[in-house]
Amino acid sequence: MGKTFAEKALARAAGISEVSAGQVIDARPDVVLSHDNSAAIIQMFYELGVKRVEYPERLAIILDHAVPAPTTRHAQNHAEIRQFVAEQGITHFFDVGRGICHQVLSEEALILPGQLVLGADSHTTHSGWMGAFGAGVGRSEVAALWATGELWLRVPESMRVILDGELPRGVTAKDFALRVIGDLGADGGIYMSVEFSGSGIAAMSVASRMVLPNMMAEMGVKNAYVTPDDRVFDWLAPRLARRTGRPVEECRAEIEAGALYPDPDARYAAEYHYDAAGLEPYIACPHTVDNVVPLSEVAGTRVQQAFLGTCTNGRLEDIAAAAEVVKGRRVARGTRFLVIPASSQVLQAALERGYIQTLAEAGAMIGVPGCGPCMGNHMGIPAPGEVTISTANRNFRGRMGTREAEIYLANPAVVAASAIKGAITDPREL
Amino acid sequence: MVTRGRVWKYGNDVNTDVIFPGKYTYTITDRREMARHALEDLDPNFASNVRPGDVIVAGRNWGCGSSREQAAICLKEAGVGAVVAESFARIFYRNALNNGLPAIICPEAVAALEFGDAVEIDLEAGTIRRGDDVWHFPPLPETALQLIQAGGLIPYLKRKLGR
Ligand code: SF4
């Protein structure tokens, strides 16, 4: 019987030749990710009575959730983390303003295809875009990982989602992800490993691929996997070379050699096929991500805030799509348009290409790279009764800080068009 | 290990944002204070009326969304004796056991139990009782029982590491 990606990746992470779905293994992750929550993890770590992190070089700590610090309490939190990082000799530390943890992990080539990342963040599934195994765990577990370097995991069953054909104009990876979540439900992939493949996936840019495993957290999956190819290796190689000072060619060969692919006769619990040509722009309506309808059904809904950013859709191609929509137009009166690049690299690239200029001219506000108001910390909290359209991955009640606010999720061009009109709008009709 | 209390019943896909709002995640670090906000955005009556041993009974996918561990901690600190659901989001499930909060999968009991019912749950025997009604669930694995007994992963690991 062939092996799925999850079975191969977890066998590697456990250092054993073969594992099967259902088996419990002790995994040794290549990267252990945490962010602003590191301060709470530090407390737990010291409660264990341990003095030193077992493998400091495997930790990645990125400050992104409330940056720059909105309150003294948050600032103190950050300060405690900086002190711990210095004391423990943690080299992969990225201070406020560098970007959102999942984006930075990719840009710094800290995680590579075939590797395992466990993180104290539910969207750690994100790294599946390159064919890595990424799964979220709790804070106690990250403290345990810092102390021991290993954690038990159950090898998940796998399902496949195949996208064939070419996406129509104005339809993006975000729409595809929303459609899948709408079809299968918030628990449609519970406890599963989801493998994406097909010609529609292969045609996607790296930035678009990142959307898929990121969004899959909203379907309850343990991890998600996108088949890695040349596009992925070419994107990662110069980044790994920059970080390590090694030749690009050597890095590329190493990255490619580490990639894992499921066997053709691997066992899947379920398989879903989509024809790209049949997809359209979708919207997730309040207050659950699986409450998905075609955009046309909610077009015209008034919005007071449009938010473009987050680890889901805060990349250069997302900002480019928004800039194209707003060029020569103005944000509607009574609507605020907030744009927050996912990282400092994205911000710089968007500046160089003039997108930031275009967005600012249209009346958009530009924020510091980070999570922004995604989880209700600061910088764009809606008032009770207000409606936000956002490129984020979650629209739960209270998510952006206010229980009585509504959040609609959409692709970046739709969010930009809605900012211009002050109501949910299909950019193709502008 | 036996827990006794009243049932608080909720539906499907209850996410961690309504169990413990994200806006508190970096500002509230005291566990007692976390308990005061338990289920704040789902059921404002819960935190002030929950009694030690009470049981949360819910539908599918309890605890979906953010990985925030406070969602499990605030329930544990509020005195919740167990969460019984049709299914759990995987990170919540791990967080619950890692904080000594029993997470039990038993769809039959979920279908039958109502808000306010008095129940008794025996973790080793794998039973949920309401008067003469009894439902069975697969007894928790040995490690899970040890985690619950120790009060969570941190105290459990501390002992194991011999500190
Ligand atoms: S952008 Fe939002 S979803 Fe992504 S890591 Fe930050 S808070 Fe989480």
Side-chain angles (χ1 to χ4, degrees):
Chain A
M1 178 51 74
K3 294 294 179 191
T4 62
F5 164 73
E7 289 168 330
K8 290 190 180 187
L10 292 183
R12 179 187 283 181
I16 46 185
S17 59
E18 206 180 294
V19 305
S20 298
Q23 201 172 327
V24 173
I25 52 132
D26 283 319
R28 306 184 78 78
D30 300 281
V31 178
V32 179
L33 173 72
S34 57
H35 43 69
D36 302 37
N37 57 14
S38 303
I41 299 169
I42 292 166
Q43 275 184 19
M44 291 170 164
F45 175 77
Y46 284 136
E47 269 174 47
L48 285 173
V50 180
K51 296 260 171 331
R52 305 294 304 175
V53 170
E54 181 76 12
Y55 304 105
E57 71 285 0
R58 292 186 195 166
L59 270 56
I61 298 181
I62 297 129
L63 299 184
D64 59 359
H65 272 55
V67 297
T71 67
T72 312
R73 185 76 197 82
H74 289 90
Q76 199 180 344
N77 210 47
H78 292 162
E80 284 165 18
I81 297 167
R82 290 188 193 104
Q83 191 190 339
F84 182 80
V85 160
E87 282 170 8
Q88 298 284 337
I90 294 160
T91 43
H92 303 316
F93 170 69
F94 302 90
D95 214 322
V96 302
R98 175 62 185 86
I100 305 169
C101 57
H102 310 297
Q103 178 72 14
V104 173
L105 214 55
S106 299
E107 287 178 356
E108 297 285 338
L110 280 169
I111 180 79
L112 298 173
Q115 294 187 339
L116 172 65
V117 50
L118 295 178
D121 188 279
S122 55
H123 294 103
T124 307
T125 51
H126 184 97
S127 290
W129 74 266
M130 63 168 75
F133 191 111
V137 296
R139 294 177 178 184
S140 302
E141 294 181 303
V142 168
L145 277 165
W146 287 1
T148 67
E150 66 176 38
L151 188 69
W152 69 270
L153 292 177
R154 184 179 170 279
V155 182
E157 285 75 27
S158 296
M159 59 189 259
R160 285 215 287 180
V161 179
I162 297 155
L163 177 69
D164 278 316
E166 209 180 311
L167 289 170
R169 191 177 71 87
V171 180
T172 68
K174 178 65 161 289
D175 299 296
F176 173 51
L178 287 175
R179 171 67 190 269
V180 172
I181 296 166
D183 286 353
L184 305 184
D187 64 347
I190 202 165
Y191 200 70
M192 295 265 209
S193 168
V194 182
E195 296 182 6
F196 284 96
S197 58
S199 61
I201 305 287
M204 284 182 190
S205 67
V206 158
S208 291
R209 292 180 197 191
M210 290 177 181
V211 177
L212 303 175
N214 179 286
M215 288 296 298
M216 282 303 108
E218 307 316 314
M219 220 168 73
V221 309
K222 179 167 197 152
N223 74 294
Y225 164 88
V226 180
T227 313
D229 58 13
D230 284 339
R231 209 172 266 193
V232 170
F233 309 140
D234 290 342
W235 193 89
L236 286 169
R239 291 175 161 82
L240 181 61
R242 190 188 322 131
R243 182 166 66 76
T244 58
R246 291 160 45 209
V248 176
E249 276 317 306
E250 188 185 306
C251 289
R252 195 187 185 285
E254 183 187 300
I255 295 167
E256 189 168 359
L260 293 174
Y261 301 91
D263 292 325
D265 58 342
R267 193 202 303 265
Y268 293 95
E271 195 170 304
Y272 302 94
H273 287 261
Y274 285 88
D275 177 10
L279 301 177
E280 52 184 310
Y282 297 98
I283 306 272
C285 300
H287 295 282
T288 58
V289 186
D290 60 355
N291 187 12
V292 174
V293 300
L295 189 163
S296 51
E297 277 184 32
V298 286
T301 307
R302 309 287 317 166
V303 301
Q304 284 74 43
Q305 177 165 272
F307 171 36
L308 187 144
T310 79
C311 53
T312 314
N313 275 131
R315 279 172 284 280
L316 190 64
E317 75 172 23
D318 305 318
I319 293 173
E324 194 189 317
V325 169
V326 305
K327 197 169 180 65
R329 299 191 165 100
R330 286 289 303 174
V331 172
R333 263 180 101 92
T335 299
R336 313 176 294 271
F337 187 21
L338 177 61
V339 176
I340 303 187
S343 76
S344 57
Q345 289 186 5
V346 170
L347 172 61
Q348 283 171 47
L351 277 166
E352 277 163 23
R353 287 172 171 74
Y355 301 148
I356 299 293
Q357 178 80 27
T358 304
L359 288 160
E361 274 168 13
M365 297 172 274
I366 312 297
V368 174
C371 300
C374 177
M375 65 173 297
N377 275 315
H378 65 150
M379 281 204 305
I381 309 294
E386 284 191 336
V387 177
T388 297
I389 186 160
S390 160
T391 61
N393 46 32
R394 258 180 207 148
N395 61 351
F396 299 153
R397 194 182 271 289
R399 170 74 180 175
M400 292 181 79
T402 313
R403 196 187 133 78
E404 293 79 21
E406 295 193 329
I407 307 167
Y408 289 82
L409 305 179
N411 81 39
V414 171
V415 167
S418 305
I420 296 299
K421 283 286 181 195
I424 297 178
T425 302
D426 188 333
R428 295 173 299 188
E429 287 162 13
L430 261 191
Chain B
M1 271 181 283
V2 175
T3 181
R4 285 182 200 87
R6 299 163 310 160
V7 166
W8 294 78
K9 182 130 191 211
Y10 302 105
N12 295 329
D13 301 320
V14 171
N15 65 71
T16 54
D17 275 296
V18 297
I19 300 175
F20 189 79
K23 63 186 170 202
Y24 300 136
T25 57
Y26 305 115
T27 49
I28 298 178
T29 50
D30 177 61
R31 298 170 75 99
R32 288 306 307 157
E33 177 69 13
M34 286 180 198
R36 281 193 279 277
H37 297 281
L39 300 191
E40 184 168 287
D41 282 347
L42 178 71
D43 179 354
N45 291 319
F46 178 81
S48 42
N49 292 304
V50 63
R51 288 192 232 133
D54 279 2
V55 172
I56 288 178
V57 175
R60 296 188 309 269
N61 204 20
W62 172 272
C64 62
S66 164
S67 61
R68 78 186 56 131
E69 196 157 325
Q70 298 96 314
I73 298 172
C74 72
L75 297 180
K76 175 75 184 170
E77 287 294 320
V80 170
V83 184
V84 180
E86 282 178 54
S87 62
F88 288 92
R90 56 167 288 276
I91 305 179
F92 182 91
Y93 187 81
R94 295 182 75 105
N95 283 340
L97 297 181
N98 285 335
N99 284 283
L101 174 68
I104 294 162
I105 299 173
C106 187
E108 298 77 22
V110 171
L113 289 170
E114 311 264 9
F115 182 89
D117 284 354
V119 288
E120 180 183 297
I121 300 177
D122 186 325
L123 295 179
E124 273 116 335
T127 56
I128 302 173
R129 285 173 197 281
R130 175 188 62 188
D132 293 336
D133 301 326
V134 185
W135 298 275
H136 295 270
F137 59 89
L140 298 180
E142 187 55 32
T143 3
L145 286 172
Q146 283 175 9
L147 281 175
I148 292 166
Q149 233 142 19
L153 177 66
I154 298 293
Y156 169 80
L157 195 61
K158 185 174 179 176
R159 197 175 312 157
K160 209 172 132 193
L161 293 172
R163 315 277 166 156

